[in-house]
Amino acid sequence: GNHWKPERHPSSVLCMDVGFSMSNSAPGEEPPFELAKKVIQKFVQRQVFAETKDELALVLFGTDSTKNSLDQDGQYQNITVHRNLMIPDFELLEEIEHQVHPESHQADWLDALVVCMDLLQTETKGKKCDRLNISLLTDLNTRASSEQIDVIIENLKQAGITLQFFLPFPVEDDEESGRDADRGSPGHPGMGKGLSEEQKSSVDIVKHIMLNLDEENGLDEIYSFRNAIEQLCMFKRIERRPMAWPCQLTIGSCLPIRIVGYKAVTEEKLKKSWTTVDAQSNKKDDVKRETVYCLDDDNETEVEKDDTIQGFRYGSDIVPFSKVDQEQMKYKHDGKCFAVLGFAKQHTVLYFYFMGTQVIKVFSGKDDEHAGVALSALIRALDELNMVAIVRYAYDRRSNPQVGAAFPCIKKDHECLIYVQLPFMEDLRQFTFPSLENNKKFTPSDTQLSAVDSLIDSMMLLEEDDNGDQKDMFKVHHIPNPAFQRHFQCLHHRAVSPSTPLPPMEPWLKAALECPDVIAERCQGPLEEVKRKFPLTEVEKKKKLKTSAQIFGKDSGEPDAKMAKGDEEEDYNLADIAEGSVTSVGSVDPMLEQLLSNKNTAYFMKSITCIQAFREQSVKLGDANLYNGYLQSLKTSIPNRGLEVFWDLLVQGMISFFTAGFLKIIFPLR
Amino acid sequence: VSCCCCCCVLLTAPGAAQMAEWNAYYRNEDDEEEQEEGEQSGGDYKITGRDSLVFLVDASKEMFIKGEDGQPSNFDMTMQVVRSVYASKIISSHRDLMALVFYGTEQSKDPSKSFKHVYVYHDLDEPGAKRVQEVDALRGGKGAQLAAETMGSGETSLGDALWCCANLYSDIKLRLSHKRLMIFTCRDKPHEGDSVKDRQARTKSGDLKETGVIIDLMHLMKPDGFDVAPFFRDIISPPEDESELGLQLEPCDKLEDLQKRVRAKEQKKRAQARLHLCLGEGINVAVGIYATAVTARKPAPIRLYRETNEPVRSKTRTFHTQTGSLLLPSEIKKSQVYGKKQIVMEKDEVDAIKKFEDPGMFLIGFKPMERLKRHHHIRPAAFIYPEEDEVKGSACLFSALLTKCHERNVFALCRCVSRRNYPPRFVALVPQKEEVDEGKVQISPSGDTLLGSTKEPNGKIQVDKMKEIVSKLRFKYRSDAFENPVIQQQYRNLEALALDMMAPEDTEDLIMPKVDQMDQRLGPLVQEFKDLVYPADYNPEGKPAAKRKTGGAEKKPKVEVPEDELRAHVQNGTLGKLTVPVLKEACKKFGVHTTGTKKQELIDALVDQLGQ
């Protein structure tokens, strides 16, 4: 559907068949039970991390025992409501992992469906009418009593419950399966020797139900276990409802148009941040962070927070400026607005002017056809004239106003303005680059150009298929944010298996970030040609001065071999440190002690540089004891010498050291 | 932006959220700022040293000659530029050092008292409010008078002036990363053919250049033209771009031009990152990434000691609540709670999961330009430019890539890891023409023919009327036309306080629509358009009449929830259904202490307390 429409949060029931036939499988194939379990695991994982408020229930059927509210007079047997409607959590994941096993009975899947419907209806009674869904995972290998099927369909329709089926085999449209008979079903894994009688009749019932619920697309909601696993592999992005921002677009003082804005694209941030806990107790209450203030004198005299006031720098001046005064004198504006400042040619607003981290789509006000006509006239006028509206935009009174451009966007099914923030004068960094085109030294020859040409040919990600339709082989926006995927993968692993090391990246994620195989293969030739035609030589740096930043920028686990090489002299030169370049450390202690006697941040930075070099040197010599020993003694002397600040600087992420971690990292290099 | 021949990088994260929550963005602006700062401003800036800039301004009589039609004198123009650079440095990079030195003066003033006819108005230091005021004093007619009184015009020795500047540099004990000196003059033969003085000036400029100072000439208009060749060619630093041949530049006669030229030179190009653009196995092009626009923010406050107004330093310590001892990294871990589950990791594990690969850009393929959608923008673009010093041959391959991408109207799609331990993003390398040529812009065909019917059938009359409105309000967009009123106000306030002014100078809010002018220009068009689209009884400013009420009066949020209900929510993990105010109230009620204000943090705190 249209993605800017808010999605309602559904309540759903996962209804899984654990009966004995689910454990049957053709040799070499995973039994349907295992596949179905994977599907629900992935599904629940996704829900847990998405932190949706969607509630989820789990119903198992084919269980040895019976636990459901319809259990009466020997009806609805072997169906267990494992969990009522609740927000899914890790407990549920663990239960699925450890408590959901194949069992030895069978139950009618239609009975199970009725139990699920009853559960949904009783547990959502009196609540806002959310979307209700039942996902049934079964091999359909039980005889289903179809007498009541029309009653069931009627009930589903009335309650507005949607259905999804997950089966071990694909189910095709009758017409389609006729067409594709040759490469049809028997070869599909999960089919074994073909369907049993029970399965065949069940499939007919399933189709009957699905087509009755949705004539058009009903069959699209029948999935096979395999493609469900593939699709669910990607943790769904954390759900956020689009929020409407109603406002008026104004042109001058007398032409308002009612609009509503939606954030179209914004960079997503993880909702949760890490909290610091004590390593032993895992409690955050055991860790306290405290900020103290001190004067910049020799004694670092501490002062109370209450004895400090707020100030600002105005160039070299320091201006006391209290919060109250600041609030009173600050820039104030009238709040929410989307006011046109004027119109400009589209080509004067270039890509590299785009600021901010979001795009806003602006539509006409809800249920207001007149606003629709007015806004549409504006969008079309802009489009036909190739112009944009330059607007002042303010989200509300508390937020800072922006200047931005509203571009017309006309699509088949909708039209809107697309708002992007533009820079203020203060934001601009103006600089020129030497021209590449006019520089003879860098002008590529014709053969070089044609090499690049064929490289582009071979690496075009857009292909036309036989029907002339364009196919995008690398849809960036379909790839889930890899950082989130990895983050959740690791969190999940740690939650379920706390004592084991983190797993490697999942292969599908790695592959998703790479160039598609077809392209990678096809571009080999052209790449070789480019390599031949364009000689590239790394410029040998004389003795590159390293600043501490560069040194610390290095991954502490991989000391740069080049850096230590060639520095045979072992003596340590203070001038070198002063230059910010430390490449070798001989007798480190006296130097460091000397540096540390100046309690000044600048010297501290040098000391840290020095310690870093010491570390590098230790790596080179393969002897961590010297280094670790020194740091150990340094640490114990910290309180006596009032070097807490230095220690803080040191430990705050600058150096990893003398813990087991350090040794682990260092010694494999030898 | 003077345009250049390079690529524009558009950074897009895969899976960027569609339609995210407004509040999430606005409430967390602070967190976001920190992150962005870290990413955008470039880590090396703070550590490598200060930038410095010396304005060396000719104060001879010729500089004070007023232009035709009351145009400001060259001196006046120069002071305006100096003032604006001071003011902008205070905002954008207050730690840069600047100096203002006059030569060809009658009076002399320099710290060493050894030069004649050189007047050090400001030595190298961070600009402050006082300095801005002092430069202001030199502007306009009054300024010329003040200059005549304090400095006067006299003999010229550029050699002495340069020597004096060299001393200014050597007096600075701080590490300077970028040293620039700009000469403002309208005299191409300052020594009137005195070859001794010419030679001395050349020697001194050579000395300066040797210590890494870049000398620029901001030559100003004079009646018979400015010839750079005979004297200044040997004084200034060779242009970094050999094709540019800066010598051929026309002298500036407009303030705007001068301002632009100074601005372009005044900031050092700083690569945010230097990376390899990897086309394939073993084909690595060295490139630098440059931001053209970085959001300027209000400065962060600093804490001062109440008694003396001196800045205090803050120290943050992490210690164990019970034992009170400082905690080492190995003694703390990181934790997150999902559902009711606490997940704990070592700090280095938290870092490790962020790492995918080493920094670099990896070519994935090419796509036609029309595949790049404006609405995919999620962060400011940047330029990339080859770094020939790192990998020889980079510029040539880069140039070829650029030419071909441009010719074929495609962009290159790359995976980019901009820094260590940053997750990969996808970036589009968009070829950027050297100049945007207004003449070549296509006149677009009428949109109607291409598009199918849309949801709002719209008559041609309405569109045409709107076209008239649009045309009436047409203006030329310039990226530097709008000042940020929030930042300007903050600095006006600080300036007023720093200078003991009665009230801050008025700032004009440039992003406020000039409603009166607009109305006047539009005249009857607005009413005509409204007649076409709005019925007589329609009030576009009110709420639409057709809005359906959903069941009676709007419910006020019920702030309190009974205890057992709350416990049930905790039990069932359904706390998320409650609103933030309700959760806050619940926290208060049960004495749950939480520093968080985010919903999840409140929930976690409540679960911690009540779940046990």
Side-chain angles (χ1 to χ4, degrees):
Chain A
N2 298 336
H3 59 272
W4 60 87
K5 274 187 194 156
E7 235 178 87
R8 280 179 305 167
H9 286 293
S11 299
S12 46
V13 185
L14 290 178
C15 179
M16 181 178 162
D17 189 348
V18 296
F20 70 80
S21 68
M22 288 288 280
S23 310
N24 299 339
S25 66
E29 272 178 26
E30 250 181 304
F33 173 84
E34 291 302 329
L35 290 171
K37 185 165 162 174
K38 256 186 208 159
V39 172
I40 59 168
Q41 274 176 325
K42 293 280 182 198
F43 184 80
V44 175
Q45 273 170 22
R46 198 173 78 168
Q47 300 289 98
V48 169
F49 285 116
E51 298 206 298
T52 54
K53 284 150 217 154
D54 305 5
E55 294 188 358
L56 197 68
L58 179 60
V59 174
L60 305 175
F61 65 103
T63 48
D64 299 344
S65 59
T66 300
K67 189 188 139 211
N68 68 69
S69 54
L70 300 178
D71 165 24
Q72 224 172 16
D73 308 329
Q75 284 205 301
Y76 300 101
Q77 292 306 294
N78 305 105
I79 300 173
T80 303
V81 176
H82 184 90
R83 192 185 236 233
N84 290 47
L85 272 186
M86 269 167 75
I87 293 176
D89 50 24
F90 278 106
E91 246 163 71
L92 178 57
L93 273 178
E94 275 167 65
E95 283 168 22
I96 294 170
E97 176 75 42
H98 303 297
Q99 292 171 24
V100 175
H101 304 297
E103 306 199 25
S104 49
H105 284 76
Q106 289 286 78
D108 182 342
W109 60 269
L110 270 175
D111 281 352
L113 181 60
V114 173
V115 169
C116 294
M117 287 162 63
D118 172 68
L119 182 150
L120 272 182
Q121 277 171 314
T122 43
E123 293 191 28
T124 60
K125 201 172 276 171
K127 290 183 188 172
K128 247 190 263 165
C129 180
D130 277 346
R131 212 147 57 82
L132 305 175
N133 184 60
I134 298 172
S135 305
L136 214 66
L137 300 94
T138 173
D139 61 355
L140 296 176
N141 231 332
T142 48
R143 191 176 322 254
S145 47
S146 60
E147 309 106 62
Q148 289 196 321
I149 187 152
D150 291 327
V151 183
I152 292 176
I153 292 171
E154 201 43 46
N155 265 319
L156 284 169
K157 278 186 178 168
Q158 256 171 23
I161 297 173
T162 53
L163 270 189
Q164 284 179 312
F165 280 92
F166 295 85
L167 308 175
F169 44 83
V171 169
E172 275 143 12
D173 218 316
D174 289 335
E175 295 158 41
E176 259 177 55
S177 59
R179 201 179 59 197
D180 295 335
D182 308 336
R183 52 174 183 142
S185 320
H188 188 278
M191 297 292 282
K193 298 181 194 99
L195 300 184
S196 66
E197 281 311 307
E198 286 87 355
Q199 284 175 318
K200 278 180 189 157
S201 82
S202 286
V203 165
D204 288 339
I205 299 172
V206 168
K207 282 188 186 172
H208 178 71
I209 298 175
M210 294 310 276
L211 288 171
N212 255 292
L213 290 176
D214 182 353
E215 213 172 325
E216 283 278 300
N217 306 314
L219 297 187
D220 293 349
E221 293 298 317
I222 306 175
Y223 305 92
S224 76
F225 289 154
R226 269 182 202 284
N227 60 38
I229 289 172
E230 275 160 30
Q231 285 174 22
L232 289 169
C233 241
M234 301 178 179
F235 284 114
K236 207 175 159 195
R237 63 191 166 75
I238 295 173
E239 293 252 354
R240 286 183 179 169
R241 281 164 193 257
M243 289 258 289
W245 179 76
C247 189
Q248 285 169 24
L249 182 152
T250 56
I251 303 173
S253 67
C254 327
L255 182 48
I257 302 173
R258 292 185 57 248
I259 54 164
V260 55
Y262 294 98
K263 260 197 195 192
V265 180
T266 189
E267 192 166 8
E268 202 172 31
K269 301 261 151 79
L270 286 169
K271 238 191 207 171
K272 295 201 169 180
S273 46
W274 292 98
T275 48
T276 304
V277 297
D278 180 70
Q280 247 98 61
S281 66
N282 285 352
K283 280 190 187 150
K284 69 171 179 221
D285 293 344
D286 287 343
V287 179
K288 206 173 165 196
R289 269 176 88 82
E290 181 194 61
T291 303
V292 292
Y293 298 95
C294 58
L295 300 179
D296 202 9
D297 57 14
D298 290 343
N299 299 325
E300 301 201 319
T301 320
E302 279 191 23
V303 292
E304 291 295 312
K305 189 173 184 230
D306 290 346
D307 288 332
T308 63
I309 50 172
Q310 185 185 259
F312 285 93
R313 231 171 240 290
Y314 182 79
S316 55
D317 303 312
I318 289 168
V319 183
F321 194 17
S322 72
K323 268 207 169 115
V324 183
D325 288 343
Q326 198 195 349
E327 191 56 33
Q328 205 153 41
M329 291 171 77
K330 77 167 189 199
Y331 174 84
K332 293 184 190 82
H333 62 99
D334 298 334
K336 203 185 241 198
C337 102
F338 200 81
V340 171
L341 303 178
F343 300 96
K345 277 281 171 199
Q346 266 184 33
H347 73 265
T348 58
V349 182
L350 297 161
Y351 255 120
F352 53 78
Y353 291 146
F354 288 8
M355 297 288 289
T357 53
Q358 59 166 345
V359 166
I360 298 165
K361 284 188 167 185
V362 175
F363 298 91
S364 58
K366 260 187 214 130
D367 309 322
D368 186 340
E369 54 174 317
H370 309 302
V373 176
L375 189 70
S376 170
L378 175 62
I379 293 168
R380 278 160 180 275
L382 289 175
D383 186 62
E384 287 175 28
L385 294 169
N386 242 336
M387 294 185 80
V388 292
I390 304 293
V391 296
R392 170 197 179 90
Y393 159 75
Y395 175 73
D396 68 7
R397 216 151 37 88
R398 292 162 306 164
S399 56
N400 296 335
Q402 304 175 353
V403 64
F407 291 85
C409 168
I410 303 180
K411 288 276 171 67
K412 258 194 209 126
D413 53 344
H414 69 281
E415 48 186 39
C416 63
L417 290 172
I418 288 181
Y419 169 87
V420 190
Q421 191 189 350
L422 294 174
F424 285 115
M425 190 268 280
E426 293 89 339
D427 305 334
L428 293 172
R429 302 277 157 99
Q430 289 177 327
F431 31 60
T432 45
F433 294 97
S435 162
L436 282 175
E437 267 174 27
N438 299 330
N439 196 325
K440 294 215 172 55
K441 259 199 321 207
F442 305 140
T443 310
S445 66
D446 286 348
T447 53
Q448 285 178 318
L449 282 173
S450 76
V452 171
D453 218 13
S454 39
L455 180 69
I456 296 179
D457 278 334
S458 71
M459 294 186 82
M460 277 310 283
L461 293 167
L462 223 59
E463 278 200 327
E464 269 186 28
D465 62 14
D466 303 340
N467 306 328
D469 293 329
Q470 286 198 322
K471 195 183 130 219
D472 193 338
M473 287 190 275
F474 200 85
K475 287 186 178 162
V476 172
H477 291 267
H478 287 191
I479 297 171
N481 187 331
F484 290 5
Q485 302 301 318
R486 174 82 178 129
H487 181 81
F488 290 136
Q489 182 208 358
C490 292
L491 281 180
H492 177 230
H493 176 91
R494 182 52 51 90
V496 180
S497 334
S499 52
T500 55
L502 296 176
M505 205 175 306
E506 287 179 306
W508 70 266
L509 182 57
K510 236 177 178 157
L513 298 172
E514 294 290 344
C515 171
D517 288 342
V518 202
I519 303 275
E521 214 165 289
R522 203 167 59 192
C523 70
Q524 278 317 313
L527 269 178
E528 282 305 315
E529 188 62 16
V530 167
K531 203 171 181 176
R532 266 196 299 278
K533 290 277 152 59
F534 293 91
L536 293 164
T537 41
E538 193 125 359
V539 176
E540 197 80 38
K541 286 280 144 67
K542 287 165 224 158
K543 185 178 157 190
K544 200 173 168 191
L545 289 180
K546 296 262 174 189
T547 63
S548 55
Q550 280 167 310
I551 293 171
F552 290 127
K554 293 277 171 210
D555 192 328
S556 49
E558 308 157 5
D560 196 337
K562 258 188 248 157
M563 218 164 62
K565 226 183 273 168
D567 292 310
E568 300 304 338
E569 72 276 12
E570 289 275 4
D571 51 346
Y572 181 66
N573 178 346
L574 189 62
D576 266 356
I577 310 178
E579 285 301 315
S581 145
V582 179
T583 43
S584 80
V585 179
S587 58
V588 69
D589 303 38
M591 274 311 157
L592 264 173
E593 298 307 329
Q594 194 184 325
L595 282 170
L596 286 174
S597 59
N598 288 295
K599 278 182 205 135
N600 170 304
T601 317
Y603 282 101
F604 286 167
M605 293 313 287
K606 279 167 198 157
S607 311
I608 289 169
T609 314
C610 187
I611 289 175
Q612 179 71 13
F614 189 10
R615 212 196 82 127
E616 304 275 343
Q617 208 64 13
S618 310
V619 174
K620 211 168 87 178
L621 302 172
D623 181 7
N625 290 338
L626 199 65
Y627 171 75
N628 286 345
Y630 175 71
L631 279 180
Q632 197 78 59
S633 70
L634 185 62
K635 191 205 165 190
T636 44
S637 72
I638 291 293
N640 296 335
R641 299 164 65 191
L643 284 170
E644 284 88 349
V645 177
F646 171 70
W647 188 254
D648 286 356
L649 281 171
L650 191 65
V651 296
Q652 266 154 29
M654 299 211 118
I655 296 181
S656 69
F657 53 91
F658 84 72
T659 58
F662 172 68
L663 295 168
K664 236 190 307 184
I665 296 163
I666 274 203
F667 283 114
L669 286 173
R670 281 271 110 192
Chain B
V1 174
S2 37
C3 219
C4 42
C5 183
C6 54
C7 276
C8 168
V9 187
L10 186 87
L11 298 164
T12 48
Q18 304 266 308
M19 293 294 172
E21 214 171 342
W22 293 96
N23 294 337
Y25 177 69
Y26 287 96
R27 288 210 188 114
N28 300 337
E29 224 173 27
D30 292 337
D31 319 347
E32 215 148 335
E33 277 178 27
E34 277 173 39
Q35 280 200 346
E36 259 171 51
E37 288 294 289
E39 196 163 333
Q40 293 191 353
S41 57
D44 56 352
Y45 181 74
K46 280 159 202 145
I47 306 156
T48 50
R50 313 274 194 97
D51 279 3
S52 62
L53 174 60
V54 173
F55 296 107
L56 181 55
V57 182
D58 187 355
S60 66
K61 290 205 173 62
E62 287 87 336
M63 287 288 286
F64 290 92
I65 298 169
K66 279 222 175 91
E68 288 158 35
D69 316 325
Q71 286 284 312
S73 69
N74 280 328
F75 186 84
D76 196 3
M77 237 163 62
T78 306
M79 287 308 108
Q80 288 199 45
V81 170
V82 171
R83 200 248 184 226
S84 82
V85 174
Y86 269 26
S88 78
K89 283 280 182 192
I90 284 176
I91 296 180
S92 64
S93 35
H94 68 87
R95 296 176 62 79
D96 289 2
L97 305 178
M98 306 223 279
L100 175 59
V101 180
F102 295 100
Y103 70 97
T105 54
E106 182 56 43
Q107 305 299 320
S108 312
K109 184 185 164 205
D110 83 282
S112 66
K113 299 194 177 64
S114 49
F115 301 103
K116 290 265 180 311
H117 308 295
V118 178
Y119 197 100
V120 178
Y121 198 72
H122 291 149
D123 58 4
L124 265 179
D125 203 348
E126 296 169 6
K130 195 158 157 272
R131 289 194 163 194
V132 174
Q133 231 178 10
E134 285 163 357
V135 174
D136 265 338
L138 292 175
R139 285 164 58 185
K142 274 189 187 165
Q145 207 179 332
L146 179 70
E149 282 163 19
T150 51
M151 305 181 293
S153 299
E155 273 176 56
T156 300
S157 167
L158 197 60
D160 279 352
L162 291 171
W163 194 346
C164 176
C165 293
N167 287 352
L168 292 182
Y169 279 117
S170 57
D171 286 346
I172 296 298
K173 294 284 168 272
L174 297 161
R175 222 171 130 221
L176 298 176
S177 62
H178 183 64
K179 297 184 256 189
R180 200 175 269 278
L181 184 142
M182 290 184 187
I183 304 175
F184 293 78
T185 182
C186 60
R187 295 185 297 158
D188 49 7
K189 293 193 235 25
H191 307 122
E192 313 276 345
D194 181 337
S195 59
V196 180
K197 278 186 172 174
D198 276 0
R199 196 168 53 239
Q200 193 209 359
R202 275 190 213 112
T203 317
K204 287 298 157 199
S205 77
D207 293 349
L208 268 173
K209 283 182 270 189
E210 214 151 87
T211 58
V213 178
I214 297 164
I215 304 179
D216 288 319
L217 177 64
M218 297 293 151
H219 49 312
L220 305 155
M221 204 47 145
K222 66 170 189 133
D224 49 347
F226 194 109
D227 188 0
V228 179
F231 175 68
F232 276 104
R233 189 182 48 195
D234 300 329
I235 299 291
I236 60 178
S237 304
E240 43 183 328
D241 175 6
E242 22 181 87
S243 68
E244 183 194 280
L245 290 177
L247 307 178
Q248 283 159 6
L249 272 178
E250 289 294 308
C252 295
D253 60 344
K254 284 204 202 72
L255 179 64
E256 218 175 281
D257 293 346
L258 183 64
Q259 206 132 22
K260 244 192 204 158
R261 237 163 89 188
V262 173
R263 274 279 159 89
K265 294 273 183 192
E266 159 243 310
Q267 286 161 340
K268 180 172 163 34
K269 278 191 298 227
R270 260 178 220 287
Q272 289 185 318
R274 290 197 170 81
L275 299 173
H276 278 174
L277 167 60
C278 176
L279 303 187
E281 188 69 42
I283 311 177
N284 294 317
V285 177
V287 294
I289 300 181
Y290 300 86
T292 49
V294 178
T295 310
R297 313 242 177 216
K298 277 203 284 187
I302 48 176
R303 297 223 70 86
L304 309 175
Y305 185 44
R306 189 188 291 280
E307 306 292 316
T308 55
N309 280 352
E310 66 181 302
V312 295
R313 286 190 295 116
S314 68
K315 296 190 284 192
T316 306
R317 295 191 280 229
T318 308
F319 58 89
H320 196 275
T321 319
Q322 261 109 61
T323 65
S325 65
L326 276 179
L327 287 169
L328 292 172
S330 58
E331 289 162 346
I332 53 174
K333 283 184 180 174
K334 296 288 178 180
S335 134
Q336 279 191 9
V337 179
Y338 271 92
K340 294 170 194 163
K341 187 95 182 175
Q342 187 190 33
I343 303 169
V344 179
M345 283 192 199
E346 304 276 355
K347 186 157 183 319
D348 52 334
E349 284 177 323
V350 171
D351 293 334
I353 61 177
K354 287 191 202 135
K355 180 169 177 165
F356 280 71
E357 58 196 326
D358 286 335
M361 276 202 253
F362 308 89
L363 179 65
I364 287 170
F366 299 88
K367 284 188 186 186
M369 276 304 288
E370 65 263 22
R371 284 279 152 164
L372 192 62
K373 299 285 160 42
R374 209 171 272 132
H375 55 265
H376 289 163
H377 161 87
I378 53 159
R379 56 180 36 245
F383 283 105
I384 67 169
Y385 193 80
E387 301 270 330
E388 192 70 8
D389 311 345
E390 304 264 333
V391 175
K392 209 161 163 274
S394 292
C396 183
L397 180 46
F398 189 86
S399 174
L401 210 54
L402 192 67
T403 311
K404 277 295 163 192
C405 281
H406 186 245
E407 203 176 288
R408 305 184 49 166
N409 204 26
V410 295
F411 67 87
L413 182 72
C414 297
R415 185 175 72 245
C416 174
V417 176
S418 56
R419 286 166 184 226
R420 215 159 273 275
N421 291 344
Y422 268 42
R425 299 163 182 281
F426 290 109
V427 302
L429 305 191
V430 180
Q432 207 62 51
K433 272 192 294 183
E434 210 151 320
E435 248 164 348
V436 182
D437 187 354
E438 201 146 342
K440 280 185 198 156
V441 175
Q442 251 190 320
I443 307 300
S444 76
S446 168
D448 290 50
T449 51
L450 296 169
L451 298 151
S453 67
T454 55
K455 68 168 188 195
E456 303 285 348
N458 212 326
K460 196 168 156 31
I461 335 164
Q462 286 94 333
V463 176
D464 285 346
K465 190 54 76 186
M466 185 49 95
K467 277 182 171 173
E468 285 181 55
I469 293 178
V470 168
S471 307
K472 282 274 187 223
L473 297 179
R474 185 177 161 169
F475 76 112
K476 198 166 175 245
Y477 172 75
R478 283 196 3 252
S479 58
D480 56 357
F482 302 103
E483 287 182 340
N484 186 340
V486 177
I487 291 184
Q488 290 299 330
Q489 184 68 52
Q490 168 85 357
Y491 279 100
R492 287 296 88 74
N493 293 343
L494 292 176
E495 189 183 56
L497 290 166
L499 299 173
D500 281 329
M501 287 154 63
M502 292 297 286
E505 228 179 282
D506 275 335
T507 47
E508 193 191 347
D509 187 346
L510 295 170
I511 58 165
M512 210 55 186
K514 298 188 174 59
V515 177
D516 295 339
Q517 279 180 38
M518 289 169 82
D519 289 350
Q520 210 183 340
R521 277 216 212 169
L522 293 175
L525 281 174
V526 169
Q527 198 50 51
E528 287 165 26
F529 178 76
K530 278 161 96 171
D531 290 344
L532 286 172
V533 296
Y534 294 153
D537 59 342
Y538 175 78
N539 175 15
E541 298 182 43
K543 299 239 160 170
K547 198 170 183 184
R548 271 176 295 130
K549 289 257 157 90
T550 43
E554 227 178 286
K555 270 184 243 157
K556 273 209 169 158
K558 203 169 61 175
V559 173
E560 227 173 291
V561 174
E563 182 173 341
D564 46 342
E565 198 177 310
L566 200 70
R567 286 196 188 280
H569 278 303
V570 172
Q571 217 65 51
N572 300 333
T574 49
L575 273 177
K577 291 178 165 182
L578 303 177
T579 61
V580 172
V582 173
L583 290 171
K584 276 192 181 154
E585 196 54 42
C587 282
K588 252 188 231 161
K589 195 168 154 191
F590 293 100
V592 177
H593 290 290
T594 168
T595 47
T597 49
K598 284 191 199 166
K599 187 165 191 174
Q600 194 58 49
E601 290 167 337
L602 295 171
I603 293 174
D604 291 346
L606 276 169
V607 170
D608 270 358
Q609 179 92 359
L610 301 177
Q612 292 151 5

